[in-house]
Amino acid sequence: MARGMRKGLTSYGDQEFSLFLRKVFIKAMGYSDDALDRPIVGITNTYSDFNPCHGNVPSLIESAKRGVMLAGGLPMVFPTITIHESFAHPTSMFLRNLMAMDTEEMIRAQPMDSVIVIGGCDKTLPAQIMAAASADLPSIVLPVGPMVVGHHRGEVLGACTDCRRMWSSHRAGDIDGDEIEIINARLAPSVGTCMVMGTASTMACLTEAMGLSLPYTAAVPATHAERRRLAEATGKRATEMAVSNTPRPSALITEDSIHNAMVVLQSIGGSTNGVVHLAAIAGRAGIKFDLGAFDRLGRTVPVLLNLKPSGQHYMEHFHHAGGLPRLMRELRDLLKLDAPVVGGSTVGDVIEQAEDVPNQDVIRTREKPLKPQGAMAVLHGNLAPRGAVIKQSAASKELMVHTGRAVVFDSVQDLTERIDSPDLDVKAEDVLVLRNAGPKGAPGMPEAGYLPIPRKLAREGVKDMVRISDARMSGTAFGTIVLHITPESAVGGPLALVRNGDKIHLDVPNRSIALQVDAAELERRAEALAPVRTMAKRGYAKLYVDTVLQADEGCDFEFLVEDPRAT
Ligand code: FES
């Protein structure tokens, strides 16, 4: 098999000429023949002025390159697209599959024997892992790491659970315009990903749990020297992988590693987005993500990590308490310990070496969990035939069984225009319903599931209400919020049939979400539904709307899920 510079030669009908020409051009960069004969380690560059979460990528690349060269390899850095949550219109999720396609094809197209993918902001790690799974070249993930915490008036703050909490207080009139501007500059005090258990931290933990990154890479802060040492170690390991041509993602993304990721997702109080991304990653490896199994794990796996938004602390405290290996050791009887990891050993080996930190309250013991059950529950019922997800660890106890009157918003736009209207007919015990915010409907399934409390209720002190939608929610958010209702309303899912004033019953202990309207009436409403309209006429938007799968299948494109290794 061709290796290094001989790999994947451009087609001119004469292989030796193709190599000759390739070397002509690469020598323009000053490379020697000695360098060009080395095993090649590709390194993705996801730095962008529009992605502050990846602000440390240049320094990580420098450290990873050092590691590659110390091990005798040739590092080759190449750009891929990058996505930041706040700089992606209409939503970052809309672009995740584009990033996955870009990364996969660039890994395939260019001559490299292994690849380091550097990512972190919410959609980037899932996109890169989906790409690596499909390209199936020896791959190692290097997360950029979380930000350090901020401080305001003696209080520890962080993006973006506290962004939401502070903004809610501002909406309720408790924080004035001057103070909210000061807070604005203190919520994200360094580069790196959000330092609560949002989607970025969740995906960094799941990546490490699946053995796709080196131990401790999930939690070491972005700005710490240790993060750069981990980058160097990643470079060294990537060179060994380039030489041995192993392990490939297909050896690491297995039923066992997906199981371990599910256990960790439940136990860290992870983001609901983790369910969608894990389903997409599993799909790329030809594994069907089992929502039922995930829910069953949630009944036995406790939340052990005391991090916001489910608990109190932040990612840097998780690192100082021993990081993910220490947390996983606490769960060892629930894990597949023989699952291999990218470093060459097994999950069991890694967690046995985890450090014990005395007197810490971040990683709880099984005897003293933060919550006795897992972070998430999967709901079914006539409103969600293929399932819906609730993050019960961040919900209000008193709303876990609740019946309320539906107050319906037909789109994100409709929600924006009417939620704060003084004329809105809404009470605290109602159920707020948002539809047409799913994968095809929005499109891109925005994080609009965290419907704001209507201003008039917020001013009365209402902090939480039952809110349901086919949208997603930021992992940093909290509240009694049912998400990912599948099938979505835009493809005729039952959410499309809800009318203002209908009764909706939520019963989390019994895993049910029901529209209390009789079946004959629902049938009548379904017959009267307008046919689904596809708004996108051209380009990537059309590709997206035409081919995106539903949330239970990870919102991947249908033509990407099929395992390319089978062909
Ligand atoms: Fe990038 Fe939160 S915005 S991780």
Side-chain angles (χ1 to χ4, degrees):
M1 197 181 75
R3 313 279 296 158
M5 277 292 150
R6 294 186 162 270
K7 214 174 161 192
L9 290 166
T10 313
S11 308
Y12 295 116
D14 176 343
Q15 294 287 281
E16 288 310 312
F17 176 68
S18 295
L19 179 63
F20 174 77
L21 208 57
R22 174 173 283 175
K23 286 171 79 172
V24 165
F25 286 112
I26 199 69
K27 282 184 176 173
M29 298 281 282
Y31 287 100
S32 65
D33 283 318
D34 181 20
L36 297 176
D37 282 343
R38 304 289 175 131
I40 298 176
V41 177
I43 304 175
T44 64
N45 184 0
T46 53
Y47 178 83
S48 158
D49 286 348
F50 286 115
N51 193 346
C53 295
H54 289 203
N56 63 339
V57 164
S59 67
L60 294 180
I61 288 176
E62 185 192 315
S63 302
K65 285 172 84 170
R66 185 166 62 240
V68 171
M69 288 191 280
L70 283 170
L74 174 65
M76 296 289 280
V77 180
F78 63 99
T80 71
I81 60 168
T82 187
I83 308 167
H84 184 275
E85 286 303 290
S86 295
F87 291 91
H89 180 80
T91 158
S92 60
M93 188 64 177
F94 178 70
L95 298 169
R96 184 201 64 181
N97 295 350
L98 183 64
M99 181 171 180
M101 290 172 77
D102 175 18
T103 308
E104 176 185 343
E105 295 309 326
M106 287 299 102
I107 291 172
R108 275 189 209 290
Q110 300 169 128
M112 60 190 86
D113 301 304
S114 70
V115 64
I116 301 171
V117 291
I118 304 180
C121 193
D122 293 19
K123 306 304 175 292
T124 58
L125 287 182
Q128 292 173 320
I129 296 170
M130 290 158 71
S134 293
D136 207 27
L137 183 80
S139 307
I140 184 165
V141 182
L142 176 59
V144 298
M147 300 172 194
V148 293
V149 296
H151 297 262
H152 177 67
R153 296 195 169 165
E155 192 184 353
V156 177
L157 287 185
C160 236
T161 300
D162 297 315
C163 311
R164 292 171 206 287
R165 185 168 60 84
M166 291 294 173
W167 187 252
S168 296
S169 297
H170 174 58
R171 274 173 64 84
D174 298 335
I175 292 178
D176 67 24
D178 290 341
E179 189 176 356
I180 200 74
E181 285 307 320
I182 294 169
I183 291 169
N184 185 266
R186 294 179 175 173
L187 281 159
S190 79
V191 296
T193 50
C194 294
M195 67 298 238
V196 297
M197 191 44 75
T199 304
S201 301
T202 298
M203 291 314 301
C205 288
L206 300 191
T207 302
E208 190 178 324
M210 282 189 281
L212 298 169
S213 57
L214 292 182
Y216 303 101
T217 45
V220 173
T223 51
H224 280 201
E226 185 61 18
R227 168 91 20 211
R228 295 192 66 173
R229 275 190 287 276
L230 284 168
E232 186 183 297
T234 298
K236 277 189 180 172
R237 180 61 188 145
T239 308
E240 293 164 5
M241 291 162 67
V243 172
S244 66
N245 200 19
T246 185
R248 290 172 179 267
S250 51
L252 299 175
I253 305 173
T254 61
E255 302 260 3
D256 280 0
S257 66
I258 295 287
H259 167 90
N260 287 345
M262 283 187 189
V263 171
V264 166
L265 180 54
Q266 290 286 16
S267 188
I268 58 178
S271 161
T272 45
N273 288 321
V275 182
V276 180
H277 297 319
L278 207 47
I281 291 165
R284 291 297 184 103
I287 299 166
K288 172 99 183 99
F289 187 78
D290 186 347
L291 273 175
F294 180 63
D295 183 66
R296 285 192 294 282
L297 279 173
R299 291 185 185 270
T300 51
V301 178
V303 177
L304 295 184
L305 193 57
N306 186 7
L307 240 68
K308 290 199 171 196
S310 301
Q312 287 176 294
H313 300 288
Y314 296 84
M315 284 299 279
E316 67 185 79
H317 308 128
F318 182 27
H319 165 56
H320 296 308
L324 193 74
R326 182 65 190 84
L327 176 100
M328 288 178 75
R329 200 166 88 202
E330 212 53 49
L331 299 160
R332 60 157 81 79
D333 56 308
L334 301 168
L335 296 170
K336 307 287 184 189
L337 298 177
D338 292 335
V341 297
V342 73
S345 61
T346 63
V347 166
D349 295 334
V350 169
I351 66 178
E352 280 320 311
Q353 288 160 23
E355 188 184 351
D356 276 322
V357 177
N359 303 322
Q360 57 83 22
D361 182 46
V362 183
I363 303 170
R364 294 283 184 88
T365 60
R366 293 283 281 281
E367 294 72 43
K368 217 179 138 211
L370 185 72
K371 316 260 172 176
Q373 292 208 336
M376 275 169 258
V378 178
L379 311 174
H380 283 88
N382 69 347
L383 253 182
R386 278 168 57 183
V389 172
I390 183 168
K391 186 169 181 178
Q392 53 180 348
S393 62
S396 303
K397 239 189 190 154
E398 63 279 11
L399 291 173
M400 300 295 260
V401 178
H402 181 81
T403 306
R405 206 178 54 131
V407 176
V408 182
F409 299 92
D410 267 322
S411 64
V412 178
Q413 184 66 26
D414 184 32
L415 172 77
T416 311
E417 285 167 8
R418 293 196 298 120
I419 189 74
D420 287 337
S421 164
D423 303 329
L424 184 70
D425 177 14
V426 65
K427 300 187 181 64
E429 56 277 13
D430 290 340
V431 174
L432 302 180
V433 178
L434 171 65
R435 61 185 168 212
N436 292 313
K440 287 180 194 278
M445 207 181 177
E447 289 186 340
Y450 178 73
L451 284 77
I453 303 294
R455 195 185 294 265
K456 65 182 181 185
L457 296 181
R459 293 223 153 125
E460 288 167 17
V462 176
K463 297 266 188 274
D464 193 12
M465 295 173 72
V466 174
R467 289 160 269 179
I468 73 170
S469 73
D470 46 12
R472 295 176 302 113
M473 172 177 89
S474 164
T476 61
F478 50 88
T480 312
I481 296 173
V482 177
L483 303 153
H484 313 176
I485 287 182
T486 309
E488 63 174 305
S489 57
V491 298
L495 200 60
L497 309 179
V498 184
R499 291 186 182 164
N500 281 321
D502 287 348
K503 285 281 168 52
I504 291 175
H505 181 62
L506 171 68
D507 184 344
V508 180
N510 287 307
R511 304 297 195 256
S512 113
I513 176 96
L515 179 60
Q516 294 183 323
V517 174
D518 70 61
E521 168 61 13
L522 289 179
E523 220 165 283
R524 270 194 295 280
R525 292 185 192 177
E527 278 162 20
L529 260 191
V532 178
R533 281 177 310 144
T534 301
M535 301 297 289
K537 292 259 185 297
R538 63 171 295 279
Y540 178 72
K542 178 161 170 52
L543 179 73
Y544 189 95
V545 172
D546 287 353
T547 65
V548 72
L549 296 167
Q550 293 289 287
D552 57 341
E553 295 164 316
C555 299
D556 202 355
F557 293 152
E558 59 191 13
F559 61 91
L560 293 174
V561 170
E562 268 183 291
D563 184 355
R565 284 163 272 160
T567 53

